[in-house]
Amino acid sequence: MDYQKLNLTDNPFAATPVTGRPAWCGMTRLKSDLERRLEISLKTSPSAIVLNWGHYGSGKTHAAKYFTSDQTLAEIKASAGAQVAPLAIYVGFPRVDRGAVFNLTSSIVGKFGVTEFASKLEETKNALDGAQAGLFGRLLQEYCDDSELQKIFHKLVEGAPEAQDKIGRVLFGNSSSADLRDLQISRKPDSVADLCRIVTTAFNLFTYRTPQIAPLTSAVHLWIDEFEDISSLSAKE
């Protein structure tokens, strides 16, 4: 095909989503609708599930990558008048080999990396305790009522590099009995409830705010791609 006849230099539709900030190919109304919905999330506290539906190849992945880029998040923060930008995470829908929930939570933690995840929690603890002594611990007990899971968070914020590999194995489900013994944790988090509680506790801590305490992040946007694969899950999943 002679692309020059179309005022193009190459096929604009790549086989895989482009990196960086993709073009919207005239879908400005959809872009504006998504921007407006994301701005609302920065101004209000309730959680919400938003389905971005489209046929195969219609640009859903491009949209997810666009709205998880640092430049776009900064623009949304400015437009919404938020104090800080949202935390946006892009993950693919988990394939069912070790369980959908386990794969999803592993993907989320994996996007941070154990070191960055621990650093973000430590930054949160310092900010909360700096505003009000002992606040991090009280919120941890409120958000996560399992004492063994609380130990994982305490180990993460202690900042001990030698423990991070072991904590990583605990979070990714391949810890040994020796790891648990060294960390003084009685059991590994292996139930759906455990895994969900770890992620939701972290997100609640990152977004905690009061009139006197600014949040570390204004909101959490979790973009789950290829969500149509949910139809392949068993009833239990």
Side-chain angles (χ1 to χ4, degrees), residues 112-131:
F112 287 98
V114 176
T115 300
E116 178 62 26
F117 189 57
S119 176
K120 200 168 186 68
L121 284 168
E122 186 176 1
E123 182 183 357
T124 302
K125 181 181 186 300
N126 292 338
L128 293 175
D129 288 351

Side-chain angles (χ1 to χ4, degrees), residues 6-41:
L6 302 174
N7 294 320
L8 298 172
T9 57
D10 196 0
N11 188 337
F13 299 99
T16 57
V18 297
T19 57
R21 305 228 302 170
W24 279 82
C25 300
M27 294 190 289
T28 54
R29 180 176 177 181
L30 175 60
K31 177 175 177 287
S32 296
D33 288 344
L34 289 170
E35 286 173 337
R36 185 161 54 251
R37 186 61 191 85
L38 294 174
E39 289 171 12
I40 290 174
S41 74

